[in-house]
Amino acid sequence: MHRAAGIRRRGILAAAVLATVLTAAGCGTHSESTGSRATDSADRADHGGKDTSPGTDSLTWEFEHIADFSGELTDIAVLAEDDIWAVGTENNGESNAHLLHYDGKQWRREPLPEALDSTDYPPELEEVGDKSLWLRPQTHQEGAGVAAWAMWDGTRWSTVPNPPPSSVGDLEAASPDDIWALGGEQTAVHWDGTRWTTTRLPYGASDLAVVGPDDVWAVGSRSTGPGTELGYGERYSQPASMHWDGTSWKPVATPQARFEKPIPPEPSAGLTQVFALDGGDVRAYGGNTFNHGEVENEPADEYIRLRWDGSKWVEQEQASGGCALRTPVGQDDKGLFLDGNWFLTDGGRCVKIKRHRLPLSTGARKGSNQSLWLDEIHRVPGTDEWLGAGHVQVNQSGDPFGAPVVVRLKRGG
């Protein structure tokens, strides 16, 4: 997972791996909005939405743009204040995606680039360096060969000369000549500016983070080794982590997770997110869950929150208030943005990020219930400004809808 710029939305492959790691309903998912995924965040799931840290400047997501269709924005890339791209989907039963562009004056809907291969799902935006942007197709077809990706250079779209050799999941670019991505069948691929190299991972992975040159982490789960045997041929998958040191991927000892007896049906534990903070601080997140609904007196799902102390994984100190079980989605020089529209200051204060209601002109009525779900946030390069993309879910009698939005963070006031 990328560092200061903000969280990346999971690709189709990575989302499938994540669902395999945590098979039961619950961990990190929600049901309040249509078409959302485990990386989404909302504000109405928390009681009151109050700032739990008196004296902290208030934070508010203000509407930067409200798209003119019912649906959601699934991705955003911010190259500059006058060069912002977003991908959206419309709730019309069609699989086609909308590509939106802001040139510093107005938002326009643009056609998908001719250089882009056909895509079954909304394409994903990948910021590769400060001035280059890749747009990659998402397809459910396996073994379809190398797909054509599109590249934006600030002026026009063209074909990416050397896209990854296969379908990839999470992709992280430290620079145009240092790009990592998760591949299929327990592999990772790396671009060094000249060619892609495929490397074998010790375990299946759901996420990766680039700390620096020759310093990369991947997390997921393992189905063999200590703690995985239940008897009668059943397995209890366990959290797994791996590190690239410039030569090879090596497994890293990771704390096990296990329910107390009686162990519930089909237990499964794993890590689903790894986040590299500024300064090299690495955090990992996941869960310990099971197949709910088969027994009485079920235990609660357990959250896994680890920190690398330089030599081993240790449990993180729990944050206060509404930030306690939240995971990072971005970092600035004042603290961490957390999922669910929360902010944890470097001093440990937990702040709820507020938001406005949609204007009545959108069709949202005064009595409607509204919640803001953000799929991704990004810092505007060279500034302290932050933009987010997602949708406002409007629940109202007879005419519920999703309003695709771009929001900008306002501090104070």
Side-chain angles (χ1 to χ4, degrees), residues 382-407:
T383 75
D384 291 329
E385 298 288 311
W386 283 80
L387 296 177
H391 75 286
V392 174
Q393 180 63 32
V394 179
N395 293 327
Q396 57 189 9
S397 177
D399 188 24
F401 67 95
V405 296
V406 176
V407 293

Side-chain angles (χ1 to χ4, degrees), residues 309-330:
D309 70 358
S311 61
K312 64 182 182 301
W313 290 108
V314 297
E315 288 190 16
Q316 295 182 35
E317 294 184 7
Q318 183 166 303
S320 63
C323 297
L325 297 178
R326 299 291 175 178
T327 56
V329 296

